[in-house]
Amino acid sequence: MPHVICSHPIHPDAEAVIRATPGFTVETLTDRSPAGLAARLPEADALILRTIRVDEDFLSHCSRLQILARHGVGYDIIDVPALTRRKIPLTITPEANAVSVAEHALMLMLASMRKLRGYDANVRSFVWGGQANLPSFELAGKTVLVFGFGRIGTRVARLCQAFGMRVLVRDPYMPKGTIRGAGYEPVEDLAAASAEADVVTLHCPSNAETRGMVDGAFLRGMKRGAVLLNTARGTLVEEAALAAALTDGHLSAAGLDVFEEEPVETPIALLSAPNLILTPHVAASTQEGLRRMALESAAAVLGFFAGTLDPDVVVNKEVLGRNA
């Protein structure tokens, strides 16, 4: 009888699907301390995880674990090679949060361009009307550089185009013809494109090629007065360099949903930077997105034990032979 453990509460519809499947039991952890994990992980045949780091120490308690389902897309806090050595598949929910994150990116873009934070504060302080120190701009006619043309980036590009923006796309792994065919301009020269764009929005994974790519040189190369958005991974951006670019006015604004270290629990340079909108890694966490992520995670777990796991949702596909 497979026992499924969820690190955090998941949407009740997904929990109901698991409970309704003959032979399955499910529980949600209430104690996620090291001692609490050590006590319950040995009972897990399957795990549905949200924000817990998975490393060798974590896996040393998982004596029965056969599948780990990530409730989301990113897996940079999961030791994938350690899972692979144990022949445990890691699954993600690649389609579930794309709409939610794309809409969040547009929200940050609009809020940054229209100086929403500043005008909201003014109204609360009884300061009325437009202010010279809070110039706002339309999206229509502006140029946006979308870095990453996957499930989220393609949606962001489409939304930006609907607002009348010129859309540049940088994705070295996507054929230029595919980008042109979608109605956008593929970018070869990243430095030239970032110098031209009014908005740069990041939608790529964090890996050896992209980690720390938005550094001081990248930011200085951006168009003066431009806006930077990051709803992908915090490790793409050097936070001290971004804080400096906002403080000296080279960038007019930025919007971040992700950070180098999460959660943010101690002061960092960004917190005192001007013209910055911050959200706590919640771009995917709409009610609709949470339901889709939970249902897709549950489907992966049930599919694994039924022998019907979709390989497209598996990160370490080399382990799939064990369930053939």
Side-chain angles (χ1 to χ4, degrees), residues 13 45 47 56 66 78 106 118-119 140 153 177 239 248 252-253 282 314:
D13 288 356
D45 298 290
L47 286 171
E56 287 282 1
Q66 298 182 61
I78 296 175
L106 263 291
Y119 280 114
E239 291 178 352
D248 68 20
S252 68
V282 293
V314 179

Side-chain angles (χ1 to χ4, degrees), residues 4 48 56 83 87 132 155 202 252 322:
V4 183
I48 297 178
E56 287 282 1
L83 286 172
K87 302 190 183 303
R155 286 171 168 83
L202 305 177
S252 68
R322 71 184 295 275

Side-chain angles (χ1 to χ4, degrees), residues 49-51 53 70-78 92-93 97 101 147 152 201-207 210-214 228-239 242 255-262 270 280-284 293:
L49 295 188
R50 291 182 66 172
T51 58
R53 182 174 296 278
R70 169 77 172 92
H71 185 283
V73 177
Y75 49 89
D76 39 328
I77 61 172
I78 296 175
I92 58 174
T93 60
N97 65 4
V101 177
F147 195 105
I152 296 170
T201 181
L202 305 177
H203 302 286
C204 58
S206 176
N207 53 37
T210 61
R211 199 168 296 120
M213 69 175 188
V214 181
L228 177 74
L229 307 174
N230 187 10
T231 54
R233 282 293 178 266
T235 49
L236 300 175
V237 178
E238 290 188 2
E239 291 178 352
L242 176 57
L256 305 178
D257 183 55
V258 289
F259 302 85
E260 288 183 11
E261 295 290 336
E262 297 182 357
L270 280 176
H281 205 151
V282 293
M293 285 186 283

Side-chain angles (χ1 to χ4, degrees), residues 81-152:
L83 286 172
T84 301
R85 285 193 294 273
R86 292 167 170 81
K87 302 190 183 303
I88 298 170
L90 168 65
T91 68
I92 58 174
T93 60
E95 297 288 348
N97 65 4
V99 170
S100 299
V101 177
E103 289 185 359
H104 197 92
L106 263 291
M107 180 272 293
L108 291 176
M109 190 181 303
L110 285 162
S112 298
M113 295 289 277
R114 302 305 293 264
K115 302 297 189 291
L116 180 64
R117 181 180 174 189
Y119 280 114
D120 176 86
N122 279 0
V123 173
R124 296 173 191 277
S125 301
F126 310 109
V127 177
W128 198 254
Q131 303 293 319
N133 67 329
L134 290 173
S136 63
F137 301 92
E138 300 173 346
L139 296 187
K142 300 300 187 294
T143 297
V144 59
L145 171 59
V146 179
F147 195 105
F149 200 59
R151 294 175 178 89
I152 296 170

Side-chain angles (χ1 to χ4, degrees), residues 1-49:
M1 179 180 287
H3 185 57
V4 183
I5 291 181
C6 305
S7 67
H8 297 74
I10 64 174
H11 196 281
D13 288 356
E15 185 172 332
V17 168
I18 299 172
R19 291 191 184 280
T21 303
F24 282 80
T25 55
V26 60
E27 73 169 288
T28 299
L29 295 179
T30 56
D31 181 1
R32 290 179 286 276
S33 68
L37 291 173
R40 295 308 305 146
L41 289 177
E43 304 301 315
D45 298 290
L47 286 171
I48 297 178
L49 295 188

